[in-house]
Amino acid sequence: MRSDVVGDGARHERRVRVSRTVSFERGDGAAAVVFRAVRTQGPVTRDLLPAATGLSPATVNRQLQVLDRLGLVKERPDLVAAGAIGRPKIPLTLDRDRFCVIAVHIGALSTLLMVADLGGRPLQTVAMSTPGGSAAEALALIARRAALVADSFTQRVPLWAGAAVGGIVHQDGSVDHAQLGWQRAPVGEALEDELGLPVSVSPHVQAMAAAELLLAGADNTTGTDLLFYVRETVGLATTIDGRVQERPGNIGHIPVRAPLLTGLPQSTLQEVVGRKIFDDAVAAGADPGELHDERARVLGEMVALVRDLINPDRVVLAGHVFAEHRHGLAPVQAAFDAASGLPPIELSPPRFGARVQEGAAVVVSLGALYADPIGALQNSST
């Protein structure tokens, strides 16, 4: 894949860089603060940004000059309010047209390939079955498909690529994924080799929490959020004061009691939420409604257990297993309320809804830019 160098318009093959994991946080540098204000509040005029950012007018103007030169923000004279006079009244917005990022979500069964703008808006999404075979073969195919999707946007300059993946992500961007049989699978390296872009790789549950923080309109940078994800994998992520914590999030090993589903006095959470366990129990004559009730009880009690340990301000439940009951989240909420020893709290669905996997992948590709827009552009172009 070939693309323009940021800033000089020349054509060249980008150098491959060492793949890396990403830290999800609301950047506190001046450029990041100004960029976030324009991104989330735009169209916004210069004279309003000092109050919105807490920075001096001089600092705001210096950052805007750099962000404008890099092509991240732009003035919109066409949006000037009637009667407004002078440059401070010209609205500023994120430049959504010049750049793009490439985003990949690799699941146990399916993989999503996306192109998104700098605001996180998907421009194109392509789904494929996650390839079998060796990790090297699977990743080579995913990377080639991602390059084909990216190459359809010939008028945009790609800045970064990101991959959200189940399993354990190492600092070099390699992944251990038990369900796919991957050990140290070079996810970051494979994407870099094919795309010629800097690549970030993240566990997908942490990325989902980051999407809630950075993309879905959350405006509170204090307190603690707790996100649970239950689908083919079971995991959790915590966000504390505007930063997603980098702790391992797999909780499928937690022991639970679900005799109707498993026929055993004790099982693991991963076993209980599996599709095969449910289908086998139905085939053996169990009532599907009672099985859904039992699974909802197990999930509600599990969420209550972790909630009582961490005491978050908000609890988010993502993944279709939470929504499979005919009454939706209500039975999970009831089991949670009965099991928790803390004051009542309402369990929430993700702000991205059914598109939480897309949001997770996109935010991985944007995380470095949002945390340090100037540094990310420099890394992307050298």
Side-chain angles (χ1 to χ4, degrees), residues 24 43 45 52 61-62 74-75 77 152-153 159 181 250 328 337 339:
F24 297 115
T45 56
N61 283 328
R62 283 196 300 270
K74 63 181 179 181
E75 292 184 339
S152 63
F153 286 82
L159 293 180
N250 192 312
D337 293 340

Side-chain angles (χ1 to χ4, degrees), residues 278-365:
F278 189 95
D279 291 343
D280 288 348
V282 171
D287 178 78
E290 293 180 355
L291 296 178
H292 279 300
D293 288 342
E294 179 162 87
R295 180 181 280 172
R297 173 189 59 77
V298 168
L299 292 173
E301 291 174 352
M302 177 268 297
V303 174
L305 172 66
V306 180
R307 183 262 179 142
D308 285 7
L309 289 172
I310 298 177
N311 192 17
D313 300 291
R314 181 170 178 257
V315 178
V316 179
L317 307 182
H320 76 274
V321 175
F322 281 114
E324 283 186 334
H325 197 284
R326 62 187 181 280
H327 298 305
L329 282 180
V332 178
Q333 179 79 58
F336 170 85
D337 293 340
S340 178
L342 295 177
I345 186 174
E346 184 177 5
L347 305 176
S348 306
R351 294 184 178 95
F352 270 88
R355 299 178 62 187
V356 65
Q357 293 172 321
E358 290 184 36
V362 169
V363 81
V364 179
S365 63

Side-chain angles (χ1 to χ4, degrees), residues 21 23 26 35 38 59 106 116 147 150 153 188 215 326 329 341 343 365:
T21 54
S23 295
R26 291 174 180 262
F35 184 54
V38 174
T59 299
I106 302 175
F153 286 82
L215 294 182
R326 62 187 181 280
L329 282 180
S365 63

